[in-house]
Amino acid sequence: MTVHKVGVVGAGLMGSGIAQTCAQSGYETIVREINQPLLDKGIERIHGAWDTMANKRKLTPEQVTENHARLRGTLDLEDFADCDLVIEAVIENMEEKIRLFTALDRLLKPGAFILSNTSSLNVTQMGAVTKRADKICGLHFFNPAPVMRLVEIVQTISTAPQTVEEIKQFAISLGKTPVLAKDTAGFIVNFLLIPYLIAAIRMLENGMASRDDIDTAMKLGCGYPMGPFTLLDYVGLDTTLWAAEAIYEEFKDPLYAPPPLLRRMVLSGMTGRKSGRGFYDY
Ligand code: CAA
């Protein structure tokens, strides 16, 4: 199936980044949010990114105009009826995802793909509530989605090999490098990244080193673009907690048990950059 029109559900940090990526790669793109202020915020973020790219001469004014024309916001899921491919990037809550997958399965044409950007939840369970489990897989982007070159394609036991092949081609058309992972919690990146982030929080809890020194150590000692606390704030402490919980739930490996400080910061609304407070203040 040739993909012409892409739907993105959710215009938060990841959803807006994914919609931006699709629209600037030439796809007619529609992005849906649950209320007008959230939709406006997401669309403004995308328009702002294109303005920045134009100021840096990475886009011509004509390209910015074309990108704007390809991107549309909506509050109504029914507007997705003629999409060839839908990527969901809503909150990491299985009940929400199942409600959404059921609704999308009912309204999309039979050949359309439904992909989840989940970083930790079971994609098999999402596919199982539809009549098209063969057309469902994970397509996991990394923050910031327009910049990070990787996507993980997550193949469930029901995903058809043909779907994997077509989604691989779609990912390449977005300028991404796809890697293939089985549907086990954490896939590839978070299975390796979460224990590292958790270990940094434990070091801080135990007073082994300061926040700034841990960040500096990993930046300058290992050449990472960000230290673990800067990255935690960037990814979101809530997202990190959900990912840790999901992997811990699946494997019961203490390496993934969320540290008390992480849970308490999330409970206090300190979710990182997006809330203005995390390990750093913004
Ligand atoms: N659209 C287009 N371009 C964008 C952009 C956007 N939305 N956001 C940033 N950019 C561009 C900038 O304009 C800049 O372009 P130039 O190099 O041409 O100037 C470039 O990206 C780099 O941005 P900055 O100059 O602002 O900052 P930087 O050089 O410090 O890089 C970074 C920022 C790319 C985020 C870098 O610090 C980095 O790679 N950090 C690590 C991020 C990471 O590990 N992400 C994965 C997290 S894990 C995850 O997401 C998965 C999960 O499930 C938890």
Side-chain angles (χ1 to χ4, degrees):
M1 175 175 203
T2 315
V3 175
H4 294 292
K5 183 169 175 183
V6 175
V8 180
V9 192
L13 211 54
M14 291 310 292
S16 63
I18 294 168
Q20 177 189 335
T21 307
C22 295
Q24 71 193 30
S25 302
Y27 292 102
E28 191 189 335
T29 305
I30 181 162
V31 58
R32 182 260 198 173
E33 253 306 347
I34 48 172
N35 61 45
Q36 197 62 47
L38 285 179
L39 183 60
D40 291 345
K41 200 171 161 194
I43 299 275
E44 274 165 29
R45 194 181 296 124
I46 299 172
H47 288 178
W50 285 333
D51 289 344
T52 309
M53 288 168 81
N55 289 338
K56 290 183 177 177
R57 298 188 190 282
K58 285 184 185 173
L59 287 178
T60 64
E62 293 73 30
Q63 285 171 319
V64 173
T65 308
E66 285 164 17
N67 288 349
H68 279 230
R70 277 194 291 263
L71 178 73
R72 189 159 80 80
T74 183
L75 299 178
D76 189 358
L77 205 60
E78 299 290 324
D79 288 343
F80 281 43
D82 58 344
C83 285
D84 306 303
L85 182 157
V86 173
I87 306 169
E88 75 78 14
V90 302
I91 188 167
E92 290 283 65
N93 172 300
M94 188 53 95
E95 278 174 26
E96 280 292 323
K97 308 261 189 199
I98 283 183
R99 246 196 307 277
L100 182 61
F101 270 67
T102 307
L104 286 170
D105 188 41
R106 209 178 42 238
L107 80 95
L108 294 178
K109 51 195 168 190
F113 301 103
I114 312 176
L115 315 179
S116 174
N117 177 55
T118 185
S119 58
S120 47
L121 296 177
N122 186 319
V123 184
T124 309
Q125 199 177 343
M126 300 175 209
V129 299
T130 71
K131 294 189 178 68
R132 62 178 87 205
D134 59 320
K135 298 229 165 268
I136 282 157
C137 65
L139 187 64
H140 184 209
F141 290 77
F142 295 83
N143 187 19
V147 178
M148 302 310 280
R149 286 163 53 212
L150 185 76
V151 286
E152 290 174 319
I153 297 177
V154 180
Q155 183 172 19
T156 76
I157 47 175
S158 306
T159 310
Q162 176 68 18
T163 298
V164 172
E165 201 39 55
E166 293 192 49
I167 299 309
K168 228 185 237 180
Q169 294 313 318
F170 173 68
I172 291 168
S173 76
L174 299 180
K176 304 297 181 194
T177 299
V179 290
L180 187 60
K182 283 191 182 158
D183 184 26
T184 51
F187 315 134
I188 298 173
V189 171
N190 280 338
F191 196 77
L192 295 172
L193 180 63
I194 296 293
Y196 158 68
L197 296 176
I198 284 180
I201 299 173
R202 290 204 182 106
M203 286 183 77
L204 192 65
E205 280 178 329
N206 296 336
M208 292 159 75
S210 71
R211 172 199 70 182
D212 290 1
D213 280 354
I214 296 170
D215 264 1
T216 302
M218 294 313 290
K219 253 182 97 167
L220 303 188
C222 294
Y224 289 7
M226 292 173 163
F229 295 107
T230 311
L231 184 56
L232 275 156
D233 281 355
Y234 195 74
V235 166
L237 272 59
D238 48 352
T239 306
T240 307
L241 177 63
W242 295 327
E245 283 175 336
I247 307 175
Y248 182 71
E249 177 63 28
E250 182 128 297
F251 298 103
K252 303 288 186 290
D253 183 338
L255 207 55
Y256 297 91
L261 178 61
L262 176 62
R263 196 180 294 284
R264 276 152 188 75
M265 288 178 75
V266 173
L267 286 171
S268 308
M270 297 165 70
T271 53
R273 247 173 206 272
K274 59 187 165 191
S275 69
R277 280 191 78 197
F279 286 98
Y280 295 87
D281 289 333
Y282 299 90

